[in-house]
Amino acid sequence: MFSSGNTVIAKIIICFTFFLVLAKIKVNGIVQGVGFRPFIYRIASHLNLKGYVLNLGDAGVEIEVEGSKEEIEKFIEFLKDKKPPLAKIDEIKVKWADERKYKRFEIRKSKEEKREGISIIPPDISICQECIEDMEKQERRRNYFFTTCTNCGPRFTIIKKLPYDRCNTTMDEFEMCEECYAEYTNPSNRRYHAQTIACKNCGPQIFLKWDEKIFEGEEAIWKATNLLNNGKIVAIKGIGGYHLACLADEKGRAVRKLRSILGRPQKPFALMARDIKMIEGIAFINDKEKDMLLSYIKPIVLLEKKEELPYVAPGLHNYGVMLPYTGLHFLLFKKISCPLVMTSANLPGRPIIYSEEEIENIGVDAILFYNRKIWQRCDDSIVKFIGKQPVLIRRSRGFVPTAIKIDGATNILATGAEENVVACLLKDGHAFLSQYIGHLQHLETFEFFKEAINHLAGLISFTPEAIACDLHPNFLTTKFAEEMAEEKNLPLFRVQHHHAHVAKVMAEHSLKEAIGIAIDGFGYGNDGMAWGGEILYSNIAEYERLCHLQYHAMPGGDAATKYPLRMLAGILGKEVEDFLIERSKVFPYGEKEVEVILKQARNAKIKTSSCGRLLDAIAALLDICHVMHYEGEAAMKLESVARKGKDVLHIKPVIKGNVIETRYLLQQIFENRNKIRKEDLAYSAEEYIANSLAMAAIQKAEEMGIKNIVVAGGCAYNEHITLRIKEKVEKEGMNFFINKLLPCGDGGISFGQAAVASMLIGNKN
């Protein structure tokens, strides 16, 4: 028998036990590889809850917590509000159940199991400030190049499969030492369950190969800095592949040598600077650009030049600059006092090199490498500011494989176009874009394309139910889509190029209908012509071509892309015969080729409305660019010249029969080329193009009662043209949209293809 006091205690115990409950929680989003399990452990321990947390094979996290319902609800609030900075929670599923009498809270071994919901690992993350400090303070990590923690380091480029555990990454070859294991198992340590944890004693080691000698450890790094300071070119293994590095000093000798090795006489090289102060010595930088440079993504940011560094970005007004994002980068700048060229190690048209075997043949002076494998190659991302708005030129390291939300329930694989290829996997309302693949002109790049799709599909447990591709019948991406659709008996959606461009802006901003301005270099049109200066109506599923830039001949087809003077001949014909003859040395066959070009212009079967080709012709006419060495060169150099000009021609837009006249523009420039500064003529040309496109789009929007106007395509990177269109559109009380989460150019077009296919499937259903 209990005494009265004991009876009260017994009742309290019984009541307390009765009100213990269990919550089974599934969290989806970016919750693996961001310190999420240690975070869960800490808040559960703080609230005195029992149970466990573990990673699942679908990149989600499973939690069971036991305690009072009040404390568990508080736990869920903490989970939402105090999550790690790099975590992104898309969904929390909670099921209540009876208690299981857990004795403690623990992090359990991961399960291969996959459940409902969408989760993904985080992108590669730049080194954090605490790890930089550890490289100075901790003896085991002093000057250790691969210092990381739960808040930073490689993720996407090292993972083989899910769940995100060390054994499923390329760190599986490196067994932790006792000190690292102690940190890994200590809940209060920043490296608690950090899968990339390492130190000098147990982690990857670094080597330098130079002059048939091998240097190791710190000696390798300091020797590399010595070589760089003495004008040598060093291949440096990064997170997602090799960079080719050399000093970018006032003499430019090393940069010129690098151009010779790569066969790139004009293409701009990216720069890496030690810090913001070093950047301010060579470029102008505002607060928004500074914030982007300092973000955990650490992308290349295009900045206006302050000082000309020879051979780095010939003929352009800007540099692409990034800050160090690995421990190795910070160590290099300990002994280097000027910016470094840090350009992707790849031959033209081929993917970035990521293996030691490949880099041996590149022809550099030395190779700085480490003995950990890169599982997925991944180029640096590139950002440009248009006004105050950052826009992506390349979405890769630091962004991939983060998903973008989009309407649609069908699993769709979209293959992109031919250049700047990025694949898109649409699953359960989330679009997963691959890393930057490049131009599918070589077998090696095509193999990389297929490999990237398969890897991403494995990470998100993706099986396609439909395929989307470009309308062009000869693109390798189209042929790949056709073969897969036939093999798997899946529906295939061929999406017109500029329709996809407009759709990707609309889908990103959740627009139901819009007038789209699609301006780029080339897209196969429904009439078999080369489109590229289009005003379209779209509701995403469908489109209607409302207006376009004037058609012009493309003498020699693709040859007119390489030689902008050919496009000039296609527009002005015999009027520029003498002009072309004076510049005939540009062509492989001289004056004879000029005769052929003019004949081709008269009898051309292929005609184009391309804004890109129009800008090329203007650049050629102003003697800014006669031969294209890289995509967009002529238009980019024209933009750089135009920045110093003003509108002196004041040509009013001429639109007849839904065609924007452009031949007259070229005639005016030709007549005034020796009377007016080329800077002013360049600016006047861009002004006419922008005003004409804006006027046409606004007129069509007013006629159709539409308030939304979107701009897309590679020419949207021209700041003058895009900002002028924006100004005109907003002045009329309409809404202006451009991509923010995706590249304006072909690097985001697969997203548009997927959006169109998804909408068509939804409408059919």
Side-chain angles (χ1 to χ4, degrees):
M1 295 289 293
F2 289 111
S3 68
S4 59
N6 287 338
T7 303
V8 172
I9 292 169
K11 286 180 179 178
I12 291 171
I13 292 170
I14 291 166
C15 289
F16 179 73
T17 306
F18 180 78
F19 284 107
L20 286 180
V21 292
L22 176 75
K24 297 181 176 182
I25 302 170
K26 169 74 189 302
V27 186
N28 292 318
I30 299 177
V31 289
Q32 290 191 21
V34 290
F36 198 76
R37 288 177 299 170
F39 158 71
I40 294 298
Y41 178 92
R42 284 191 286 271
I43 61 172
S45 300
H46 172 71
L47 295 170
N48 199 31
L49 298 173
K50 308 296 188 288
Y52 68 85
V53 59
L54 58 79
N55 281 343
L56 291 168
D58 59 8
V61 166
E62 175 183 292
I63 306 165
E64 287 199 6
V65 281
E66 189 174 82
S68 71
K69 191 166 186 179
E70 181 183 353
E71 291 298 291
I72 291 175
E73 287 173 345
K74 192 181 293 184
F75 169 86
I76 294 169
E77 288 303 311
F78 280 180
L79 192 155
K80 294 175 184 175
D81 299 337
K82 300 181 183 295
K83 65 183 185 299
L86 297 172
K88 182 175 181 288
I89 296 175
D90 290 332
E91 182 181 40
I92 300 174
K93 295 180 178 179
V94 182
K95 289 183 180 179
W96 298 96
D98 294 334
E99 62 171 312
R100 291 188 176 177
K101 294 184 170 59
Y102 288 114
K103 294 182 179 179
R104 61 185 178 277
F105 194 89
E106 61 184 343
I107 296 178
R108 287 189 176 177
K109 185 179 178 181
S110 301
K111 291 181 182 177
E112 298 281 341
E113 183 182 340
K114 298 177 182 180
R115 299 182 188 167
E116 288 185 3
I118 292 289
S119 292
I120 192 64
I121 59 164
D124 299 309
I125 303 158
S126 65
I127 187 170
C128 67
Q129 187 58 39
E130 289 171 297
C131 280
I132 294 170
E133 292 170 4
D134 287 346
M135 290 168 64
E136 296 291 334
K137 297 175 183 176
Q138 291 186 4
E139 190 56 41
R140 288 166 37 240
R141 295 191 173 94
R142 190 180 305 280
N143 293 332
Y144 180 56
F145 78 101
F146 194 66
T147 299
T148 65
C149 68
T150 54
N151 299 322
C152 69
R155 300 290 190 271
F156 174 71
T157 50
I158 67 169
I159 191 163
K160 300 176 183 179
K161 65 175 185 175
L162 290 170
Y164 178 69
D165 289 323
R166 193 180 183 97
C167 60
N168 293 330
T169 73
T170 57
M171 287 297 291
D172 61 344
E173 298 177 21
F174 304 95
E175 186 176 347
M176 284 178 254
C177 64
E178 287 184 11
E179 292 93 339
C180 282
Y181 186 74
E183 292 172 329
Y184 184 82
T185 53
N186 180 358
S188 64
N189 194 284
R190 199 175 81 255
R191 295 187 172 89
Y192 183 46
H193 277 261
Q195 305 307 321
T196 55
I197 190 170
C199 71
K200 289 180 182 179
N201 301 330
C202 63
Q205 300 299 306
I206 194 161
F207 307 89
L208 178 77
K209 186 174 184 180
W210 175 66
D211 196 25
E212 299 184 359
K213 299 174 187 173
I214 298 290
F215 301 84
E216 186 174 350
E218 281 188 50
E219 185 185 12
I221 298 169
W222 307 141
K223 184 65 181 177
T225 61
N226 180 260
L227 291 172
L228 288 165
N229 281 324
N230 282 283
K232 302 297 184 184
I233 297 168
V234 180
I236 299 173
K237 190 172 182 179
I239 284 180
Y242 275 91
H243 287 106
L244 301 184
C246 68
L247 283 191
D249 58 15
E250 67 279 357
K251 296 177 182 177
R253 290 172 186 164
V255 185
R256 185 169 58 180
K257 180 182 174 184
L258 179 57
R259 289 202 173 280
S260 176
I261 289 172
L262 291 176
R264 292 182 191 162
Q266 293 290 316
K267 190 173 184 179
F269 287 145
L271 294 171
M272 180 175 282
R274 180 179 56 229
D275 49 29
I276 294 295
K277 185 178 179 181
M278 184 178 280
I279 293 175
E280 289 174 335
I282 60 168
F284 297 99
I285 178 171
N286 61 39
D287 288 343
K288 287 185 177 292
E289 291 164 339
K290 188 182 297 184
D291 289 344
M292 181 61 71
L293 284 160
L294 291 168
S295 71
Y296 75 84
I297 298 166
K298 295 289 193 301
I300 296 168
V301 179
L302 299 192
L303 303 173
E304 185 180 352
K305 289 178 179 177
K306 182 185 289 184
E307 176 187 322
E308 187 67 39
L309 297 173
Y311 308 108
V312 171
L316 300 178
H317 68 281
N318 50 21
Y319 296 124
V321 190
M322 59 182 157
L323 289 171
Y325 56 85
T326 70
L328 177 56
H329 295 152
F330 278 92
L331 292 173
L332 291 172
F333 278 104
K334 276 191 170 187
K335 298 192 177 183
I336 292 175
S337 57
C338 73
L340 288 173
V341 163
M342 195 71 78
T343 190
S344 297
N346 66 293
L347 296 172
R350 290 176 171 82
I352 186 172
I353 293 170
Y354 73 134
S355 72
E356 281 62 73
E357 294 76 21
E358 286 181 279
I359 201 66
E360 289 277 358
N361 302 317
I362 201 76
V364 294
D365 296 307
I367 302 169
L368 185 62
F369 65 100
Y370 52 81
N371 60 345
R372 177 186 62 75
K373 294 174 185 172
I374 295 171
W375 196 253
Q376 279 290 298
R377 42 184 139 199
C378 193
D379 264 296
D380 296 311
S381 295
I382 306 175
V383 174
K384 178 180 182 178
F385 278 79
I386 295 181
K388 296 179 180 180
Q389 176 62 53
V391 294
L392 283 159
I393 294 176
R394 182 194 294 161
R395 184 183 186 273
S396 205
R397 178 188 54 77
F399 290 96
V400 175
T402 309
I404 299 170
K405 289 190 177 180
I406 179 175
D407 293 336
T410 304
N411 285 10
I412 298 169
L413 167 63
T415 58
E418 187 82 334
E419 297 185 338
N420 299 311
V421 171
V422 167
C424 177
L425 282 62
L426 178 57
K427 179 183 179 182
D428 296 339
H430 291 73
F432 295 90
L433 279 78
S434 75
Q435 68 270 50
Y436 171 79
I437 306 296
H439 301 353
L440 261 62
Q441 299 162 340
H442 295 276
L443 177 62
E444 187 182 351
T445 315
F446 185 53
E447 291 301 318
F448 174 35
F449 166 73
K450 293 188 288 185
E451 175 192 316
I453 290 174
N454 290 335
H455 181 65
L456 188 54
L459 290 180
I460 63 172
S461 303
F462 175 86
T463 302
E465 298 167 343
I467 314 287
C469 65
D470 197 273
L471 186 64
H472 198 298
N474 295 327
F475 282 175
L476 279 176
T477 51
T478 302
K479 294 180 183 298
F480 172 81
E482 290 171 342
E483 289 173 8
M484 178 177 279
E486 184 176 355
E487 178 188 331
K488 298 182 180 295
N489 194 28
L490 298 174
L492 177 65
F493 296 88
R494 305 172 196 273
V495 184
Q496 199 282 324
H497 193 83
H498 302 97
H499 179 198
H501 267 314
V502 171
K504 71 182 168 69
V505 187
M506 294 178 66
E508 180 188 321
H509 293 282
S510 301
L511 304 178
K512 300 300 181 186
E513 61 178 0
I515 300 297
I517 301 173
I519 43 177
D520 65 359
F522 170 78
Y524 188 76
N526 286 344
D527 57 1
M529 295 299 174
W531 292 8
E534 313 304 315
I535 308 295
L536 308 178
Y537 162 80
S538 182
N539 58 6
I540 297 184
E542 298 169 327
Y543 80 97
E544 180 185 354
R545 193 187 196 196
L546 305 175
C547 185
H548 59 85
L549 295 179
Q550 184 178 2
Y551 274 131
H552 297 295
M554 278 186 76
D558 286 344
T561 301
K562 181 171 177 59
Y563 296 99
L565 284 168
R566 280 179 168 267
M567 265 317 304
L568 178 61
I571 297 172
L572 294 183
K574 289 285 286 184
E575 291 180 51
V576 290
E577 182 175 7
D578 291 341
F579 182 88
L580 294 174
I581 289 171
E582 289 169 8
R583 290 152 182 79
S584 60
K585 289 182 180 179
V586 167
F587 302 112
Y589 301 99
E591 287 190 30
K592 289 184 179 179
E593 189 166 342
V594 173
E595 292 177 25
V596 173
I597 290 168
L598 291 171
K599 185 177 180 181
Q600 288 174 329
R602 289 193 299 272
N603 305 312
K605 293 181 180 179
I606 300 175
K607 294 191 175 183
T608 183
S609 59
S610 166
C611 183
R613 299 293 79 81
L614 178 64
L615 293 170
D616 292 351
I618 295 165
L621 179 53
L622 294 175
D623 291 325
I624 293 169
C625 180
H626 291 153
V627 181
M628 294 266 273
H629 301 92
Y630 59 90
E631 181 197 359
E633 178 182 359
M636 289 164 63
K637 289 183 174 178
L638 180 71
E639 179 185 10
S640 293
V641 171
R643 287 175 66 87
K644 300 174 184 176
K646 59 185 178 181
D647 187 9
V648 294
L649 295 181
H650 304 294
I651 305 172
K652 292 184 178 180
V654 179
I655 304 172
K656 297 179 181 177
N658 293 325
V659 174
I660 298 169
E661 298 279 347
T662 52
R663 189 173 190 274
Y664 178 70
L665 170 66
L666 272 290
Q667 287 174 324
Q668 288 298 300
I669 295 171
F670 184 65
E671 289 174 13
N672 288 285
R673 72 189 188 283
N674 296 321
K675 304 172 189 174
I676 298 174
R677 292 190 322 141
K678 71 169 62 177
E679 291 85 353
D680 293 334
L681 291 173
Y683 187 95
S684 299
E686 290 181 351
E687 186 77 1
Y688 176 82
I689 292 167
N691 287 336
S692 300
L693 291 167
M695 178 184 285
I698 290 166
Q699 285 178 353
K700 296 301 179 184
E702 288 174 342
E703 289 171 12
M704 302 179 77
I706 293 171
K707 283 289 187 180
N708 302 320
I709 293 179
V710 308
V711 173
C715 295
Y717 292 123
N718 184 300
E719 187 174 21
H720 174 197
I721 290 175
T722 295
L723 288 183
R724 182 66 74 239
I725 293 172
K726 181 177 186 288
E727 176 193 316
K728 297 282 184 183
V729 167
E730 292 179 344
K731 187 177 180 182
E732 296 301 319
M734 296 179 181
N735 305 313
F736 174 89
F737 297 93
I738 192 171
N739 281 122
K740 296 179 180 179
L741 304 178
L742 298 155
C744 296
D746 285 3
I749 205 164
S750 59
F751 180 88
Q753 293 169 348
V756 172
S758 178
M759 191 65 73
L760 287 169
I761 291 169
N763 289 349
K764 185 177 180 181
N765 291 340

